[in-house]
Amino acid sequence: MEIWINPACSKCRGAISLLDAEGAEYTVRRYLEDVPNEDEIRGVLDRLGLEPWDITRIQEAEAAELGLKEWARDAGSRDRWIKALSEHPKLIQRPIITAQDGTAVVGRTDEAVRDALSR
């Protein structure tokens, strides 16, 4: 199990606390420092069953600078979104937990973290 976190994020700290309380074995990836490449983002998206715009933090200043709200959300634009997430990792929703069964969840709630633990 791996968890992508930003240590400054309260949701990330909450997820880590819950994982620790449950005695889970996991690896922490500080994705702002250890930035995922485009292939890693594609892999996580496949595991999540989501599209890149589904895990993009549109409210961030960088998103506004890039004009992401106006970007198309279709198959033809997928690679553009993935490239933006790789180049601007702050835009990636957090925390993302990869479960042992090959799936992943965005662990913003205790329920989502527990869901990852049960897989």
Side-chain angles (χ1 to χ4, degrees):
M1 180 177 289
E2 182 177 76
I3 181 168
W4 291 10
I5 68 158
N6 172 351
C9 168
S10 63
K11 298 287 186 186
C12 293
R13 292 190 307 270
I16 293 281
S17 293
L18 183 53
L19 291 174
D20 288 344
E22 296 293 329
E25 292 184 26
Y26 60 91
T27 302
V28 171
R29 180 172 187 172
R30 293 178 179 215
Y31 71 92
L32 297 178
E33 299 163 16
D34 182 8
V35 178
N37 64 37
E38 292 179 33
D39 286 338
E40 289 173 307
I41 292 170
R42 281 186 191 87
V44 163
L45 288 168
D46 289 346
R47 292 175 81 164
L48 287 166
L50 297 173
E51 293 297 337
W53 45 86
D54 296 326
I55 65 161
T56 301
R57 297 173 55 84
I58 297 293
Q59 73 281 9
E60 293 288 339
E62 290 177 46
E65 291 169 16
L66 294 170
L68 291 181
K69 286 185 180 180
E70 286 77 42
W71 286 17
R73 297 177 184 210
D74 57 26
S77 300
R78 190 172 200 264
D79 286 343
R80 182 181 186 201
W81 282 85
I82 290 169
K83 182 177 183 188
L85 291 174
S86 178
E87 292 176 352
H88 306 274
K90 189 175 184 181
L91 298 177
I92 299 172
Q93 189 59 262
R94 57 189 184 252
I96 294 177
I97 303 169
T98 56
Q100 292 178 348
D101 70 350
T103 62
V105 299
V106 178
R108 295 193 55 77
T109 65
D110 287 353
E111 293 77 24
V113 175
R114 285 190 181 95
D115 183 36
L117 284 167
S118 70
R119 296 179 182 196

